[in-house]
Amino acid sequence: MNPASCDNQKDWITSADERHRRDLIRYAYSLCQDSAGAEDAVQETFLRLNKERPERINHCLRPWLFRVCRSRVIDAQRKQKRVVLMDHETLSPRRDMNAQDPRREAEIEDTTAHVWEAFAELTPLQAEVLRLKFQSQMSYKEIAEVTGKTVNAVGVHLHAAMINLRARLSHVMDI
């Protein structure tokens, strides 16, 4: 590789890092529930990207990054042989406690708890496709590339997840 190509490779990786690192860390954390583990998985993802040629994967960079990151998390979990439950308080959006009255804050906390309880009842794949769709704002095709499922299977799992959430939350919320 000539020096100009090396600079282009560095620029390509730097650009990918700037655009995708935050989403990858959030995604990795949602899978492993460990900040250090998420950071490690994302770092390994970018190390692997460094070995790739831009023209080979540039057309599908984002799904490729998520797929590699997912694999890194799964590999690490296999090595650790542990299962981590989702902590709804850690994943809840941060709010300024002075911004609303205490009753409204209590309602929000209660609703959030119900949502996370319902979310915990989903299958791991249903939870993952929901995260990819709504948290990472991926298309069905991108989710299929990340999970190794077909686009139709992604649609089925998303639909089933929404039905499950709706059924579990209908008594709590007006849905």
Side-chain angles (χ1 to χ4, degrees):
M1 190 180 280
N2 66 39
S5 299
C6 204
D7 287 343
N8 289 340
Q9 179 85 1
K10 287 179 188 175
D11 292 344
W12 179 64
I13 292 169
T14 300
S15 174
D17 189 332
E18 290 169 355
R19 285 191 327 260
H20 302 292
R21 178 172 290 274
R22 186 174 176 202
D23 289 340
L24 286 168
I25 288 172
R26 185 178 13 202
Y27 174 63
Y29 182 81
S30 75
L31 295 174
C32 69
Q33 301 301 297
D34 175 42
S35 296
E39 289 280 348
D40 289 346
V42 172
Q43 188 64 29
E44 289 177 29
T45 299
F46 281 102
L47 287 173
R48 174 117 183 260
L49 179 65
N50 192 42
K51 296 176 184 177
E52 295 293 332
R53 292 188 329 267
E55 61 274 4
R56 184 178 166 279
I57 60 171
N58 210 28
H59 68 285
C60 62
L61 178 62
R62 186 166 191 221
W64 185 92
L65 288 169
F66 275 80
R67 184 174 55 251
V68 171
C69 184
R70 178 180 193 258
S71 294
R72 301 292 71 94
V73 169
I74 290 169
D75 289 348
Q77 287 177 329
R78 283 183 186 142
K79 286 178 187 173
Q80 293 175 349
K81 293 184 177 154
R82 66 179 192 158
V83 175
V84 179
L85 297 175
M86 207 163 26
D87 176 2
H88 75 272
E89 291 193 17
T90 302
L91 296 174
S92 295
R94 294 187 180 134
R95 293 178 301 276
D96 178 2
M97 294 304 278
N98 297 323
Q100 298 182 22
D101 68 70
R103 280 180 281 171
R104 180 70 180 132
E105 279 299 318
E107 288 175 16
I108 291 170
E109 292 291 327
D110 189 47
T111 301
T112 300
H114 286 296
V115 170
W116 284 115
E117 286 170 13
F119 196 83
E121 295 295 319
L122 297 175
T123 68
L125 184 57
Q126 288 174 352
E128 183 178 8
V129 295
L130 274 175
R131 280 189 216 102
L132 289 169
K133 178 67 178 159
F134 296 108
Q135 189 177 49
S136 300
Q137 299 171 2
M138 288 189 165
S139 69
Y140 282 34
K141 182 179 180 200
E142 290 172 322
I143 295 169
E145 290 175 23
V146 170
T147 61
K149 304 294 181 194
T150 66
V151 172
N152 286 340
V154 167
V156 167
H157 288 289
L158 276 170
H159 182 72
M162 296 303 290
I163 288 172
N164 288 340
L165 285 176
R166 185 174 288 121
R168 287 180 171 84
L169 295 170
S170 62
H171 69 285
V172 177
M173 307 166 91
D174 293 329
I175 54 175

